[in-house]
Amino acid sequence: MPEGDTVWQTAKRLHTALAGEMLTVSDFRVPRYATVDLTGRTVLDVTPRGKHLLTRIEGGLTVHTHLGMEGSWKVFADQERWTGGPAHQIRVVLAAADARPGRTAVGYRLPVLDLLRTTDEHRAVGHLGPDLLGPDWAPDRALANLLADPARPLGEALLDQRNLAGIGNVYKSELCFLLRVTPWLPVGALPTVHAAQLPVLAKKLLEANRDRPIRSTTGRRGQDLFVYGRAKRPCLRCGTPIRAADQGDGSRERPTYWCPNCQAGPDPSATAARRAPRTARGPRSQDRPSTPPRTTN
């Protein structure tokens, strides 16, 4: 599931492959940009912003993408077979074939693909709160954002990218477990000591995982996560079966996991809790920006 650490890794791969190179292939496979041609322009950099990717191109242009739940960017060497999915799922291809060695970046199943002026990037990401892995990280501001709506459930507040950028369903569940509270606890009811720990712990988790191929919050080999994706399995701390439910208004899939023994606070009804949500595929693998009042979450 793409969260801030996954997006950071993706940006690093794209930057390594394309930055400083002239594009020799520019293929946008969406109707809106079907006639766009960026060949001959140099890629300046690829920058992550929360769960968003900003690929800056010579001439003051930015390719803005978001991975959503299923999207990905894959980088292939010359003559390497593309393996990110069927051809009809490709949304954009950017290649620097003159690089040594040549590299081709292929965007699959991208729910967000925009081409905008670099000076207008704020229209896509200006609504985001402090980025947990970015130079703008400000823990005090992030905490103040979270506490601004004290009645809001903690899990929902963590997913709101306007509060702080980079947390998704996995880190939401894991953070709440580490803080020993349920994701349905109102933010204002979070004990003061836990509130002070929250932004520090969130950053620590994402930083620890941004260079790892498999996300881990436990530090235990073979037991990578405390609660996420572990419905009905024993809690690693107390042995109580982990429970699962969707959180939110149902408009989006928000799989949420918690230990009913280790975590204090309210939880959903027993009926909702028995509906174990579909988990994301793979060890890693959300936020399309809504009109600013962040992918959204």
Side-chain angles (χ1 to χ4, degrees):
M1 179 178 296
E3 303 199 16
D5 52 349
T6 308
V7 174
W8 192 93
Q9 290 184 13
T10 300
K12 183 178 179 180
R13 288 196 300 271
L14 291 174
H15 184 87
T16 299
L18 300 177
E21 302 293 343
M22 181 183 296
L23 291 175
T24 54
V25 175
S26 165
D27 183 6
F28 287 79
R29 302 185 183 183
V30 294
R32 183 179 181 184
Y33 302 116
T35 61
V36 168
D37 184 4
L38 300 178
T39 57
R41 297 176 186 248
T42 298
V43 177
L44 303 179
D45 66 77
V46 182
T47 298
R49 181 72 175 87
K51 301 181 186 179
H52 300 253
L53 286 160
L54 303 171
T55 302
R56 299 180 176 122
I57 311 292
E58 179 185 20
L61 296 175
T62 295
V63 179
H64 165 233
T65 58
H66 191 287
L67 303 182
M69 291 289 287
E70 302 291 341
S72 68
W73 275 98
K74 302 290 185 180
V75 176
F76 303 102
D78 286 346
Q79 310 305 316
E80 185 179 0
R81 180 173 174 267
W82 296 359
T83 57
H88 72 268
Q89 293 182 348
I90 296 174
R91 299 294 177 260
V92 61
V93 179
L94 299 174
D98 292 338
R100 295 185 296 273
R103 289 289 185 265
T104 300
V106 184
Y108 291 89
R109 300 172 298 278
L110 300 172
V112 178
L113 172 58
D114 294 314
L115 181 66
L116 44 92
R117 294 188 180 280
T118 302
T119 53
D120 291 335
E121 286 180 357
H122 63 280
R123 296 184 179 180
V125 297
H127 65 293
L128 299 176
D131 186 346
L132 281 154
L133 294 178
D136 69 319
W137 175 241
D140 291 343
R141 184 157 64 91
L143 182 58
N145 291 343
L146 290 167
L147 296 174
D149 186 356
R152 192 175 191 184
L154 177 59
E156 294 182 24
L158 288 172
L159 289 180
D160 189 336
Q161 305 299 289
R162 296 169 299 181
N163 291 331
L164 70 172
I167 291 177
N169 291 316
V170 178
Y171 283 118
K172 171 193 74 174
S173 295
E174 296 295 294
L175 278 167
C176 288
F177 176 82
L178 290 170
L179 292 172
R180 293 180 175 265
V181 298
T182 71
W184 290 269
L185 182 79
V187 175
L190 190 65
T192 302
V193 63
H194 291 169
Q197 292 174 341
L198 195 160
V200 176
L201 182 57
K203 182 174 179 61
K204 181 178 179 180
L205 288 180
L206 267 72
E207 281 191 333
N209 283 286
R210 67 183 184 183
D211 292 315
R212 290 176 177 169
I214 297 177
R215 181 183 290 133
S216 175
T217 60
T218 66
R220 306 179 187 183
R221 187 183 298 273
Q223 295 178 326
D224 300 310
L225 301 174
F226 283 108
V227 292
Y228 188 85
R230 302 189 68 251
K232 300 182 180 179
R233 297 172 62 186
C235 172
L236 297 181
R237 181 184 287 152
C238 73
T240 301
I242 298 299
R243 299 175 72 181
D246 283 321
Q247 184 173 27
D249 59 9
S251 61
R252 298 185 184 184
E253 191 175 32
R254 301 298 195 202
T256 305
Y257 299 81
W258 79 103
C259 173
N261 182 57
C262 290
Q263 295 173 250
D267 59 30
S269 67
T271 299
R274 286 196 295 267
R275 293 199 302 268
R278 176 176 63 85
T279 58
R281 296 178 294 177
R284 304 181 167 266
S285 93
Q286 71 169 298
D287 89 355
R288 174 165 188 150
S290 56
T291 302
R294 154 147 73 161
T295 79
T296 315
N297 284 353

